[in-house]
Structures are given as structure tokens and as C-alpha cells.
């Protein structure tokens, strides 16, 4: 097998191929994007709760609904 080594992965102490590096970078970018989206959604939910003076019970229900929507979206990806 012809393997072109292009780097060293300090996490596992092994040399890695270009494809491995590209895949790992793509995964990391996607995690960052998902974290940014989640943070933005939480900020919007907090603003909605504050602006509309939701009670604690209403805020909890809103968060539960959001969690359910996220779970549903994740299941569609599998």
C-alpha cells in the first residue's frame, strides 16, 4: 500500500495521511459550526424568554420543546 505521510497526529502519536488530516479538519469545522448554531439559538431563546416575561415553567417548557426539536433533527440524519 502506497501511503503518503504528511503529518503527525499528537493525539495518538501516529503519522497520518492527507485524507485523515482533511477528514479530521472537516469534522472539527462541523463541530465548531454546530456549537455556533447552538449558542446562537440559546441566545435567541433567552431573548424571547426575557422579552415576553415568560415564567420559569414556560421557559422550561420552551427549552424542552427546543431539545425535542434538536433530537428530531439528529434522528433524521441517521
Amino acid at each position: 500500500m502506497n501511503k503518503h505521510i504528511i503529518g503527525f497526529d499528537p493525539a495518538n502519536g501516529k503519522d497520518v495521511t492527507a485524507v485523515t488530516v482533511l477528514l479530521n479538519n472537516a469534522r472539527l469545522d462541523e463541530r465548531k459550526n454546530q456549537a455556533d448554531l447552538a449558542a446562537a439559538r440559546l441566545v435567541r431563546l433567552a431573548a424571547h424568554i426575557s422579552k415576553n416575561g415568560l415564567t420559569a415553567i414556560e421557559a422550561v417548557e420552551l427549552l424542552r420543546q427546543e431539545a425535542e426539536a434538536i433530537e428530531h433533527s439528529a434522528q433524521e440524519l441517521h
Side-chain angles (χ1 to χ4, degrees):
M1 179 165 144
N2 189 5
K3 184 169 142 179
H4 298 287
I5 305 300
I6 68 153
F8 183 78
D9 183 359
N12 65 17
K14 297 180 182 176
D15 290 327
V16 293
T17 64
V19 172
T20 302
V21 170
L22 290 172
L23 286 172
N24 287 340
N25 287 342
R27 287 181 185 119
L28 182 59
D29 285 345
E30 182 57 23
R31 287 184 189 127
K32 288 177 182 177
N33 289 338
Q34 290 301 316
D36 287 343
L37 289 172
R41 183 66 183 154
L42 288 173
V43 167
R44 285 192 302 274
L45 287 171
H48 175 78
I49 290 166
S50 179
K51 178 182 175 185
N52 294 298
L54 272 59
T55 66
I57 293 171
E58 292 168 330
V60 167
E61 178 59 21
L62 183 64
L63 291 172
R64 188 198 61 74
Q65 290 172 2
E66 183 64 19
E68 190 175 289
I70 292 168
E71 287 174 347
H72 181 68
S73 295
Q75 288 172 356
E76 288 178 354
L77 296 174
H78 289 216

